[in-house]
Amino acid sequence: MSSGKNKGQNSLTLHKVIMVGSGGVGKSALTLQFMYDEFVEDYEPTKADSYRKKVVLDGEEVQIDILDTAGQEDYAAIRDNYFRCGEGFLLVFSITEQESFTAITEFRSDRHRGNAGVWVWYQNQSG
Ligand SMILES: Nc1nc2c(ncn2[C@@H]2O[C@H](COP(=O)(O)OP(=O)(O)OP(=O)(O)O)[C@@H](O)[C@H]2O)c(=O)[nH]1
Ligand SMILES: [Mg+2]
């Protein structure tokens, strides 16, 4: 992740990561796995949820702020508001759903060209 100039409430460096991808590809499942080491089987479409966790990164204790966005188009307006503040983006797609890969590819190239954040593609096995 980049410069780390943001500071959290208790002065730890804060890194902002945004989960991006179509509805049902597994963004929330991945987020909850990272946060609580649990796999959630139920599917409840997300509007927008945020999480914060302390981790050690390159020997330094930092805070990771994860914004789990909505894949469902019904919530697109809420979701799009958040993208500006991202520092790192995890682009999630399902290996069983070609359109979910097309969606993140278009998202990356059309709407956020020039964003200096870190972009990571993640292939999930949803469905
Ligand atoms: N088989 C399988 N199921 C998965 C995997 N990841 C998530 N799921 C399931 O797929 C469904 C949707 O997962 P979510 O994590 O809620 O999907 P999402 O991307 O957050 O969806 P939205 O919030 O609507 O954008 C849930 O029932 C999960 O349990 C996976 O890797 N394999
Ligand atoms: Mg979700």
Side-chain angles (χ1 to χ4, degrees):
M1 280 179 243
S2 65
S3 62
K5 285 185 184 139
N6 300 320
K7 292 287 181 182
Q9 287 168 349
N10 56 5
S11 296
L12 291 182
T13 302
L14 181 63
H15 293 292
K16 294 186 178 179
V17 176
I18 302 193
M19 306 296 285
V20 182
S22 302
V25 294
K27 299 179 298 299
S28 298
L30 272 174
T31 303
L32 295 170
Q33 181 88 46
F34 175 73
M35 288 297 302
Y36 310 119
D37 286 324
E38 274 176 17
F39 178 71
V40 179
E41 294 209 14
D42 297 336
Y43 176 35
E44 195 180 319
T46 307
K47 290 182 185 169
D49 291 324
S50 66
Y51 302 85
R52 191 167 283 188
K53 184 174 183 172
K54 282 184 194 168
V55 297
V56 175
L57 188 66
D58 296 334
E60 183 197 355
E61 190 174 48
V62 300
Q63 290 205 85
I64 306 284
D65 204 21
I66 302 176
L67 185 68
D68 181 19
T69 65
Q72 298 284 346
E73 281 309 305
D74 295 355
Y75 303 127
I78 303 172
R79 178 191 64 204
D80 290 352
N81 270 333
Y82 291 108
F83 287 139
R84 278 172 240 125
C85 62
E87 183 185 342
F89 296 83
L90 195 69
L91 303 178
V92 184
F93 68 100
S94 165
I95 195 170
T96 59
E97 199 189 321
Q98 168 79 40
E99 298 109 60
S100 69
F101 182 73
T102 310
I104 54 169
T105 305
E106 285 172 1
F107 173 87
R108 172 71 177 103
S109 59
D110 292 349
R111 298 162 71 182
H112 294 272
R113 190 179 291 131
N115 186 308
V118 177
W119 299 77
V120 178
W121 269 252
Y122 184 89
Q123 171 188 300
N124 206 2
Q125 193 186 333
S126 194

